[in-house]
Amino acid sequence: MADYLWHISLPVLATVIGGFATLTMLTKNSFLDEIRKQYVVTVRAKGLGERRILYHHVSATPCCW
């Protein structure tokens, strides 16, 4: 049983890392699309700080779905 778990650990790890990479790419692309939207440009023009824009306006929008 221990030998089986040892040999299955690498394929499981590779699958998990692959899924994480896909999710990371989707999230990044979603953030980049959201940053270019008109309401973000308007908020920037009003003078809000970049950190506040990212955390309160962009990340409040659902990222991946």
Side-chain angles (χ1 to χ4, degrees):
M1 183 68 176
D3 188 51
Y4 174 76
L5 292 176
W6 176 253
H7 285 90
I8 197 70
S9 63
L10 186 59
V12 169
L13 183 65
T15 303
V16 168
I17 290 173
F20 182 71
T22 302
L23 182 62
T24 302
M25 184 182 67
L26 288 172
T27 304
K28 178 197 72 141
N29 289 336
S30 177
F31 265 87
L32 291 176
D33 289 341
E34 203 64 34
I35 285 173
R36 294 184 192 110
K37 288 193 176 176
Q38 186 62 39
Y39 76 94
V40 176
V41 174
T42 303
V43 170
R44 277 197 181 111
K46 289 183 177 184
L48 257 72
E50 195 67 26
R51 180 174 288 170
R52 182 156 177 102
I53 292 169
L54 288 177
Y55 287 118
H56 293 279
H57 294 278
V58 176
S59 65
T61 308
C63 291
C64 300
W65 317 124

